[in-house]
Amino acid sequence: MKRILGIMIALCCWMAVQAQDMKSLFVALPDSLSPLLTEVNRADFGDFLASGMKAEVKNRFGKQSEMTELTDDYLFVRLTSASTLEMKLLPVNDSTKVICVVHTYSAPVADSSISFYTTDWKRLSTDKFLDWPEESAFYVVPETDVRADSLKNLRTFADIYLLKAQLSSKEMTLSFVYSTPDYMDRETAAEIKPYLYVGPLRYEWEDGRFVRKVSAVNSENT
């Protein structure tokens, strides 16, 4: 009898794991991790989209939040006019997955935070899954001493490191855009542009973590 009961419990646990998708995980998100959206809000998003309706709800502050995309492993929510939320379900191995969560705030320049969770919403160390890009990764190495001095002077205006992160809905990728120049005055931003790589830094999910791929090009060559 005990053996049969054990098999039934194991089967139920297996079925629960198999049933995990982004919709159910988002609804199960603890309120402590969802200060703006109630459990009803989160459930309504998926129901509205499934019905072909605009997935817009009134959040805890009485403002509008809208989910614009939901798949089995990805979602995107515009929480407020200045903030967004992305989530991606990623495999660590054949039996374990983690949830990557990206919050982006634009006040007014975009800046993102990234966190990782188990599928029962226990926080994990970000360092285990991602090496955060250093600011220098967005800069082209100057070819002359004159250009090196010019860049050194310009970078004194880049005194705040701002970074916009974006998950892909269709691929297991994460992209970073250097947004620091967006808060500079127009003239300084134009002067620093030739020293920057064009396009985002692209990371791909490999063997349970995000790995950087070389994709950016020198802005002077475009």
Side-chain angles (χ1 to χ4, degrees):
M1 185 69 179
K2 289 183 178 180
R3 186 168 182 270
I4 295 175
L5 182 60
I7 292 173
M8 291 178 64
I9 293 174
L11 181 61
C12 289
C13 291
W14 179 84
M15 292 176 66
V17 170
Q18 297 301 309
Q20 286 180 334
D21 57 17
M22 189 51 70
K23 179 181 178 180
S24 58
L25 291 169
F26 187 52
V27 174
L29 180 69
D31 286 346
S32 60
L33 299 177
S34 181
L36 272 181
L37 302 172
T38 66
E39 182 177 348
V40 173
N41 289 156
R42 300 192 299 272
D44 283 346
F45 278 141
D47 293 341
F48 290 155
L49 285 178
S51 302
M53 300 169 59
K54 186 174 184 179
E56 193 172 73
V57 303
K58 187 170 290 188
N59 59 44
R60 281 192 172 102
F61 291 168
K63 304 294 184 180
Q64 296 298 323
S65 298
E66 182 183 4
M67 177 180 283
T68 59
E69 191 165 0
L70 175 64
T71 68
D72 286 344
D73 66 358
Y74 174 84
L75 66 77
F76 183 94
V77 179
R78 185 163 297 282
L79 294 171
T80 70
S81 60
S83 63
T84 62
L85 168 68
E86 283 184 287
M87 293 184 182
K88 185 79 173 180
L89 188 60
L90 299 162
V92 176
N93 52 47
D94 291 340
S95 60
T96 304
K97 294 183 178 181
V98 296
I99 307 166
C100 179
V101 179
V102 176
H103 281 97
T104 299
Y105 305 90
S106 301
V109 178
D111 190 38
S112 299
S113 64
I114 300 176
S115 50
F116 291 85
Y117 296 87
T118 64
T119 52
D120 57 355
W121 292 109
K122 294 178 181 177
R123 186 152 189 173
L124 301 167
S125 171
T126 300
D127 293 342
K128 183 178 180 180
F129 304 101
L130 171 70
D131 291 328
W132 194 262
E134 296 182 2
E135 190 170 8
S136 58
F138 295 92
Y139 285 87
V140 178
V141 177
E143 297 180 353
T144 67
D145 291 341
V146 172
R147 290 182 60 79
D149 288 341
S150 176
L151 176 58
K152 183 178 179 180
N153 291 331
L154 286 170
R155 287 194 65 173
T156 61
F157 295 97
D159 53 343
I160 302 177
Y161 184 21
L162 300 173
L163 200 57
K164 180 181 179 180
Q166 186 172 10
L167 291 160
S168 170
S169 61
K170 297 179 174 60
E171 302 176 312
M172 290 188 291
T173 61
L174 175 65
S175 299
F176 290 97
V177 174
Y178 184 51
S179 52
T180 294
D182 294 341
Y183 93 92
M184 299 176 176
D185 63 82
R186 186 175 301 179
E187 182 178 347
T188 303
E191 289 180 3
I192 207 169
K193 182 179 178 180
Y195 296 93
L196 299 175
Y197 285 107
V198 173
L201 292 183
R202 178 184 169 93
Y203 284 66
E204 295 181 4
W205 187 258
E206 294 181 358
D207 299 324
R209 75 188 322 270
F210 280 114
V211 179
R212 181 183 165 188
K213 301 296 179 179
V214 178
S215 58
V217 296
N218 190 332
S219 61
E220 289 187 316
N221 296 326
T222 59

